Amino acid sequence: MERIYSDDDARTDALNGATIAVIGYGSQGRAHARNLRDSGYHVIVGARSGGEAERRAWADGFDTYPAAEAARAAKLVCLLTPDMSHRKVYAEDIAPNLQPGDALLVAHGFSVLYGEISPREDVDVILVAPKGPGDLVRREYEIGRGVPCIFAVEQDASGEARARALSYAKGIGGTRAGAIETSFREETETDLFGEQAVLCGGATELVAAGFKTLVDAGYKPEVAYFECLHELKLIVDLMYEGGFTKMLHFVSETAKYGDFVSGPRVINDETRARMGEVLADIQSGAFARQWIAENEAGKSEYQRMWDADLQQPIEQVGAKMRKQMAWLQQERSADAPGKAHQPQAKAA
């Protein structure tokens, strides 16, 4: 059984007195910054002057700086921008401002594993990845709990990299729920596989195929939407809360029997072979090279596929159906304007 690390395993002095710069104030970055601050760490935010991230961070009470200045002022730099921006942000803003013994932290190992960034040998390179979206990471922290996380060390220049990673995990609430040690390769390859074969690619293709099968057979699109997409959440929630055991306990006897006899007809040896091909492309770096090349070429094919996904009939039907579901309608408050502050000296 893999060891699960708790608050007691995290050294509280590993980041004491260190300035932490969070560069990338999206869902994860905002949650990490706020949780770390509430845990007693000194946190600043690096963001583009006049941009939305700067305004939001300043409204949350953070000192904000251009990314290069934030990196220069920090001992631990958290690169939490989207993967495909890492090369540019690191080369232009972070690398020139890291000092020997500093640490670079990411929440996903893609850019490090596939060489988009190549940190110097005199800095720590660590990873801390909560297994949940940023808003959940924040909500759980605020009520005294946490979201489980995984952590890894790619490079230990200071001799303190692992302690720093665990201290950071504690700071965002991850060790409250448990942290598991992994490697950059394992985190990246399993994350990519999960997204492609199950969570995003697999799930959406399965839903779309089920919807099309019913509609092509003459059933109402609205009814097909309920059966193939809307009710999926109910099943996923049960599995999330208690695995297959809870799901099977709560569904009907007919549903259970249908699961046993028909599930393996849909997800079969051919499907598993295709999953193996997906994993092989990830392990060889073929997927990464393809995605990096697509990004560098302007993402025209990416945009074409995105547009095609949104034009599927199930999306048109779903948009109409969801308008009738009052609980899905959410109000968004306007963000307060931001303001840049001057950086403080880098902590030792």
Side-chain angles (χ1 to χ4, degrees), residues 1 13 47 65 67 92 116-117 122 135 150 158 162 167 169 215 219 243 262 266 291 317 339:
M1 182 70 177
D13 65 337
Y65 320 93
E92 296 181 2
E116 287 291 275
I117 61 176
D122 61 359
D135 61 343
I150 57 179
S158 69
R162 193 168 177 278
S167 183
V215 173
Y219 298 100
S262 296
V266 177
W291 173 220
V317 173
K339 179 181 178 183

Side-chain angles (χ1 to χ4, degrees), residues 189-210:
E189 292 179 350
T190 55
D191 185 83
L192 293 175
F193 176 81
E195 290 170 349
Q196 294 173 33
V198 181
L199 305 175
C200 300
T204 56
E205 288 299 315
L206 185 65
V207 166

